[in-house]
Amino acid sequence: QVQLVESGGGLVQPGGSLALSCAASGPAASNYAMGWFRQVTGKEREFVAGISDSGTITFGADSVKGRFTISRDNAKNTMLLQINNLNPEDTAVYYCVAAGVIWSLSRGEIDYWGQGTQVIVSS
């Protein structure tokens, strides 16, 4: 069982940046591909970005392309998501996720979910 704990959410002004961190614990946590989903109240969860277990492959949804950076530190079992130039449409609860295979992330085939952290983009 892998446990995922997010941190770094909060209120951000439009045009600003956010950095979300995810701490993973449990057996072989570094062997999982990891990523982020987000959910707006009343809507389905949507994929945001993902990173392979080694950290060599990263990809993101069209909604954040050109604005995001995702990275991981397997020595510390942490993952970081940075999104720049935020807009109100980025307001959502952001979830850290882990999957056995990186390509499962965007398909929503997730093995573990974090509890989520709220991000509000507003002036």
Side-chain angles (χ1 to χ4, degrees):
Q1 188 82 2
V2 174
Q3 292 82 40
L4 305 171
V5 178
E6 305 94 338
S7 61
L11 178 64
V12 185
Q13 289 199 343
S17 301
L18 69 81
L20 300 178
S21 183
C22 177
S25 61
S30 61
N31 290 344
Y32 286 83
M34 296 181 70
W36 295 88
F37 275 68
R38 66 186 181 186
Q39 185 173 27
V40 177
T41 302
K43 295 187 177 182
E44 292 187 357
R45 291 178 181 178
E46 65 170 359
F47 170 77
V48 177
I51 186 167
S52 62
D53 56 349
S54 65
T56 56
I57 301 172
T58 65
F59 63 107
D62 288 343
S63 58
V64 296
K65 275 185 180 175
R67 301 191 294 131
F68 85 100
T69 302
I70 187 169
S71 61
R72 66 189 294 168
D73 184 339
N74 283 341
K76 298 180 179 179
N77 277 348
T78 57
M79 177 182 60
L80 183 67
L81 174 70
Q82 295 175 294
I83 303 179
N84 301 318
N85 195 22
L86 290 164
N87 57 69
E89 288 70 38
D90 293 313
T91 295
V93 177
Y94 284 72
Y95 296 91
C96 176
V97 300
V101 181
I102 185 172
W103 309 119
S104 296
L105 292 171
S106 58
R107 296 196 295 260
E109 297 167 359
I110 305 302
D111 292 308
Y112 301 103
W113 292 84
Q115 293 296 310
T117 184
Q118 177 74 58
V119 173
I120 298 173
V121 182
S122 175
S123 55

